[in-house]
Amino acid sequence: MADQAFPTGTLMAGKRGLIMGVANKNSIAWAIAQQLAAQGAELAFTYQGEKLLRRVKPLAESVGSDTLLDCDVTNDDQMDATFAALESKWGKLDFLVHAIAFAGKDQLAGSFIDQTTREGFKSALDISAYSFVDAGRRAAAIMNDDGAMITLTYLGSERVIPNYNVMGVAKAALEACTRYMAADLGPRGIRVNAISAGPIKTLAAAGIGSGRHMFRFNKAASAMQDNTDSKGVAGAALYLLSDLGLSCTGETHHVDGGFHAIGMPQEGPLRESLAE
Ligand code: NAD
Ligand code: 0WE
């Protein structure tokens, strides 16, 4: 059964959707999956290669899902097979969760202008932005007319975050893709939105050079003086993917403790540290 910490209800009863991007129990996509399941959604999961199946399978089973599809988003055959499998299992789809990003490790350190190679740029934008367009097109082809899709983004698209580098450019593209997809699918009643989450300790955030400083700084400089909780991201996902989100599309919604809204630190340790 779904984690008790996720409020239960029937907001997603009768809705079926695909979750792309669970790697382990810390994945943002897993928090979202648990919240949707707790509201009655029926879920299918993709995983990136056999190595991750071992982790994802027990998680999927714990929310009553037996649909696990091997899908690397750079592999057209696997993308074809994923959506063919969903169509034959369910016929129609109600929602899509895209929580996938990747840039080569060499691209995520040091100077943006010096470190960003043509290949690094191409692959970051392919995996982190184009994959949402590709999955969105395939999902829309089998989606009910009141369906919805979300992706996950980060403030590094709007502001310079040290070392985020080409991923910031990929997230800017992803947010623009969200708006164009919303326009294309809007007439069908399908909504497309992005959630801009603050830093959360997941596999994708592990091993980043300035990690410790980043979490401390986000805590000190955010409106709520705290780090982002993936439960808040899951709650926003539930709103955007359920009928609560009616008429909301093309939006990038920040769930980051208000970090994005602050222009200068409030009273507190950060301002104190600058006192003479
Ligand atoms: P995570 O490592 O748990 O998830 C990232 C997922 O991307 C993994 O499941 C991985 O298998 C998948 N992936 C990477 N390349 C892929 C490929 N070629 N094909 C298929 N799948 C691939 O980390 P997360 O933090 O939960 O990341 C999920 C999303 O949230 C990402 O888009 C990330 O940019 C975004 N995000 C994360 C944070 C954060 O601080 N953790 C903040 C804002 C946004
Ligand atoms: O989107 C992300 C991270 C996505 C990511 C993570 C990795 C790590 C392993 C993409 N590609 C890779 N490639 C790898 O080899 N986040 C929002 C988390 C994150 O990553 C950062 C951050 C934040 C926040 C990197 C530098 C600075 C800040």
Side-chain angles (χ1 to χ4, degrees):
M1 268 288 104
D3 190 332
Q4 296 217 316
F6 290 91
T8 57
T10 56
L11 287 169
M12 297 301 289
K15 293 193 195 284
R16 294 163 161 168
L18 176 64
I19 312 283
M20 306 180 82
V22 178
N24 59 38
K25 66 176 172 37
N26 298 319
S27 294
I28 296 173
W30 175 238
I32 293 171
Q34 288 173 90
Q35 177 60 94
L36 297 172
Q39 292 286 338
E42 199 176 332
L43 303 177
F45 294 84
T46 61
Y47 59 94
Q48 184 193 8
E50 286 306 318
K51 246 180 63 190
L52 286 178
L53 179 59
R54 211 162 39 90
R55 295 239 179 278
V56 181
K57 195 172 182 214
L59 297 176
E61 280 170 354
S62 75
V63 292
S65 171
D66 62 356
T67 310
L68 286 135
L69 304 159
D70 189 354
C71 186
D72 185 308
V73 295
T74 63
N75 183 324
D76 288 326
D77 295 337
Q78 290 184 353
M79 288 288 279
D80 287 345
T82 293
F83 287 90
L86 291 178
E87 185 172 20
S88 70
K89 185 180 170 70
W90 286 337
K92 289 285 184 183
L93 198 65
D94 297 293
F95 62 89
L96 171 70
V97 174
H98 173 276
I100 287 171
F102 184 80
K105 213 172 177 56
D106 56 311
Q107 308 288 294
L108 295 176
S111 139
F112 169 72
I113 199 169
D114 290 334
Q115 290 303 122
T116 308
T117 62
R118 188 190 302 272
E119 275 315 307
F121 188 99
K122 274 191 196 169
S123 114
L125 271 91
D126 182 24
I127 297 170
S128 313
Y130 180 69
S131 68
F132 187 45
V133 183
D134 196 16
R137 185 185 61 258
R138 294 165 190 274
I142 56 171
M143 199 171 259
N144 284 314
D145 279 355
D146 60 351
M149 351 186 148
I150 58 165
T151 188
L152 271 297
T153 186
Y154 176 58
L155 189 69
S157 63
E158 306 169 63
R159 318 257 194 84
V160 172
I161 305 289
N163 302 322
Y164 199 61
N165 295 3
V166 75
M167 270 308 306
V169 177
K171 291 303 194 188
L174 178 67
E175 290 165 26
C177 290
T178 300
R179 293 185 283 273
Y180 279 89
M181 290 162 71
D184 283 343
L185 300 175
R188 282 185 51 196
I190 296 174
R191 297 177 295 102
V192 187
N193 292 289
I195 298 174
S196 186
I200 294 173
K201 286 185 176 135
T202 64
L203 198 59
I208 58 172
S210 44
R212 247 189 26 199
H213 274 104
M214 192 188 52
F215 283 103
R216 278 194 201 154
F217 184 79
N218 271 265
K219 180 167 175 161
S222 65
M224 298 186 74
Q225 311 255 296
D226 209 348
N227 282 126
T228 298
D229 189 322
S230 64
K231 284 203 176 65
V233 178
L238 171 62
Y239 154 67
L240 291 169
L241 294 173
S242 72
D243 296 339
L244 290 176
L246 274 179
S247 294
C248 180
T249 197
E251 177 74 321
T252 297
H253 176 59
H254 294 85
V255 179
D256 65 352
F259 183 89
H260 72 283
I262 298 294
M264 182 171 160
Q266 308 172 89
E267 272 185 61
L270 190 56
R271 215 164 84 182
E272 212 51 36
S273 76
L274 299 169
E276 306 219 4

